[in-house]
Amino acid sequence: MKSIKIEIPSLTENIRMIESFIDNAKEKFQLDDDIYGNIMIAVTEAVNNAIKHGNKGDKDKNVKLSLGLEDSMITFLIQDEGNGFDFQNLPDPTAPENLEKPGGRGIFLMKHLSDEVSFLDEGKTVSLNFYIN
């Protein structure tokens, strides 16, 4: 398995580094534009959640991002240093009472843009899988 890793302090401006990381992966693995777009949105959303919710914006805590490629699947692991969360009981962002709320759509987006999403280590790690062929 080919693997690439990056670690960033929990600052929202570091999302730019994540975008560059994904741009480099697009070039290196010749990802088509549709998959690239899905990866960009889902992974940056996961990293943003790790910064804001997992690490609570604590710049002394890091977010780790790794990419693994095996056969026709590319996997991104996003790991924070927070306490995890209850990923089994998330509010439905499409429910009428939640439509006007400004947040709460990140995991919904990840699930719809990725081929597979799983939460590990009590929610401190998110795995996003994308089929590339």
Side-chain angles (χ1 to χ4, degrees):
M1 181 196 285
K2 297 177 188 171
S3 182
I4 308 169
K5 299 178 183 194
I6 186 174
E7 188 168 340
I8 61 165
S10 292
L11 298 165
T12 52
E13 57 265 28
N14 287 339
I15 291 291
R16 281 190 234 111
M17 284 189 259
I18 300 304
E19 291 168 347
S20 294
F21 180 89
I22 295 166
D23 285 341
N24 291 337
K26 179 188 192 292
E27 297 302 314
K28 184 174 176 75
F29 303 116
Q30 289 104 40
L31 302 175
D32 74 46
D33 288 343
D34 288 343
I35 292 169
Y36 164 74
N38 289 352
I39 288 171
M40 182 64 79
I41 294 167
V43 173
T44 56
E45 189 60 50
V47 171
N48 202 37
N49 281 355
I51 290 170
K52 286 184 176 176
H53 303 294
N55 290 342
K56 310 268 190 261
D58 182 346
K59 66 182 183 343
D60 295 325
K61 291 183 177 180
N62 292 329
V63 175
K64 295 177 185 165
L65 171 63
S66 65
L67 168 166
L69 180 67
E70 193 164 357
D71 298 327
S72 61
M73 178 160 321
I74 190 165
T75 299
F76 291 85
L77 288 176
I78 300 93
Q79 185 177 18
D80 64 54
E81 296 177 9
N83 297 321
F85 71 104
D86 182 3
F87 51 86
Q88 303 286 4
N89 295 304
L90 296 169
D92 177 0
T94 64
E97 66 272 15
N98 295 327
L99 289 177
E100 300 295 320
K101 291 183 179 174
R105 291 171 187 80
I107 291 173
F108 178 82
L109 279 171
M110 286 181 241
K111 287 181 176 179
H112 283 79
L113 296 172
S114 307
D115 292 305
E116 296 171 12
V117 177
S118 50
F119 299 96
L120 313 160
D121 195 24
E122 299 171 342
K124 291 181 254 186
T125 301
V126 180
S127 174
L128 302 174
N129 296 323
F130 301 86
Y131 297 111
I132 55 173
N133 289 331

